[in-house]
């Protein structure tokens, strides 16, 4: 069985990483159950293993943490649900590509609970929504905004880090970085899309969608 844990308030990032690493190690040793841990962080930027320093536009705005997850720069802060997934791929098939696809499907299924169509794009990490309410881009294409980020690490076939969904964060906070190295698209949230959704609503959707995608 997968344990679900929700931490109220704001969780320190270093504390979160230490907790994840310890739990992942215990799972690898067969000493602990898998865990999905739902948190919020104070405003901060994280640099993944592919981060480019020029994408850190305002380095003095918020604390910047080096992260061993995949990906580039991301923002975490109040109003954003971060779901850390410590799952045992020894039991789930040692297929990292499938696991990443399942994590993406998890987010998309959770968004669908609110009638939001989350989509993937070749060459762009994360989950995107088409903005029919915005002007067309200079190329004549429909505008697209990012609503969720994905950054994962696997060690000893146990995953940690995870996904983040923008519920009602301060979207201006994203301007201190080039999120995931992408300059030509924006960032949105459930509330920005006009949905009066609470964090509790998102947590319920995440749990239901997880059971749908992962079967437990």
């Amino acid at each position: 069985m997968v344990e679900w844990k929700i931490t109220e308030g704001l969780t320190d990032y270093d504390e979160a990483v230490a907790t994840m690493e310890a739990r992942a190690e215990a799972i690898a040793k067969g000493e602990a159950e898998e865990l999905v841990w739902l948190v919020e962080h104070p405003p901060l930027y994280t640099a993944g293993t592919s981060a480019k320093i020029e994408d850190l536009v305002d380095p003095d705005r918020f604390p910047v943490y080096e992260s061993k997850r995949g990906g580039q720069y991301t923002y975490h802060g109040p109003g954003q649900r971060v779901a850390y997934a410590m799952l045992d791929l020894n039991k789930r098939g040692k297929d990292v590509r499938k696991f990443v696809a399942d994590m993406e499907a998890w987010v998309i299924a959770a968004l669908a609970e609110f009638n939001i169509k989350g989509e993937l794009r070749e060459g762009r990490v994360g989950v995107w929504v088409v903005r029919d309410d915005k002007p067309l881009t200079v190329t004549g294409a429909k505008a697209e905004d990012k609503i969720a980020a994905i950054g994962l690490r696997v060690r000893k076939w146990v995953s940690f880090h995870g996904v983040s969904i923008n519920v009602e964060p301060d979207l201006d906070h994203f301007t201190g970085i080039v999120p995931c190295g992408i300059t030509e698209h924006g960032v949105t949230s459930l509330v920005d899309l006009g949905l009066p959704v609470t964090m509790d609503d998102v947590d319920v959707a995440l749990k239901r969608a997880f059971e749908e995608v992962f079967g437990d």
Side-chain angles (χ1 to χ4, degrees):
M1 292 294 293
V2 179
E3 178 188 354
W4 283 74
K5 178 181 176 183
I6 300 173
T7 298
E8 302 295 336
L10 302 179
T11 300
D12 176 79
Y13 186 76
D14 281 337
E15 178 186 325
V17 171
T19 300
M20 279 191 286
E21 291 191 342
R23 181 63 172 249
E25 183 67 24
I27 292 169
K29 292 178 178 177
E31 298 171 353
E33 298 295 330
E34 296 174 303
L35 173 66
V36 176
W37 184 24
L38 306 180
V39 305
E40 285 179 84
H41 288 302
L44 58 92
Y45 299 128
T46 67
T49 54
S50 303
K52 301 172 184 174
I53 191 62
E54 61 267 25
D55 288 341
L56 184 59
V57 179
D58 190 353
D60 299 322
R61 189 169 186 183
F62 298 126
V64 180
Y65 295 86
E66 297 291 327
S67 173
K68 295 174 183 176
R69 61 159 176 79
Q72 302 187 41
Y73 281 104
T74 60
Y75 166 77
H76 292 314
Q80 181 191 72
R81 176 51 88 210
V82 179
Y84 289 131
M86 286 140 275
L87 302 177
D88 189 353
L89 303 192
N90 289 291
K91 298 176 180 177
R92 296 176 179 274
K94 294 180 178 180
D95 188 336
V96 173
R97 188 184 298 270
K98 179 181 183 300
F99 176 64
V100 172
D102 285 346
M103 291 291 284
E104 293 168 337
W106 176 30
V107 174
I108 289 170
L111 293 172
E113 296 265 332
F114 307 105
N115 293 317
I116 294 293
K117 186 181 180 184
E119 300 183 55
L120 305 176
R121 291 292 181 264
E122 187 72 32
R124 279 193 254 149
V125 179
V127 178
W128 300 81
V129 292
V130 175
R131 299 298 301 268
D132 291 320
D133 57 326
K134 285 189 170 183
L136 298 178
T137 66
V138 291
T139 63
K142 290 184 178 181
E144 296 180 351
D145 287 343
K146 187 173 190 173
I147 194 167
I150 296 173
L152 300 166
R153 181 91 192 272
V154 175
R155 181 190 295 159
K156 298 180 181 177
W157 292 107
V158 177
S159 69
F160 53 111
H161 293 283
V163 303
S164 59
I165 296 177
N166 297 332
V167 182
E168 193 179 8
D170 184 338
L171 296 178
D172 181 65
H173 288 179
F174 287 87
T175 61
I177 56 171
V178 178
C180 298
I182 296 165
T183 57
E184 65 271 29
H185 299 282
V187 179
T188 190
S189 69
L190 289 165
V191 171
D192 182 53
L193 292 172
L195 296 166
V197 175
T198 68
M199 199 66 75
D200 288 343
D201 295 331
V202 172
D203 292 346
V204 169
L206 280 168
K207 194 165 194 307
R208 193 152 45 207
F210 186 90
E211 291 164 357
E212 178 185 319
V213 172
F214 289 95
D216 53 5

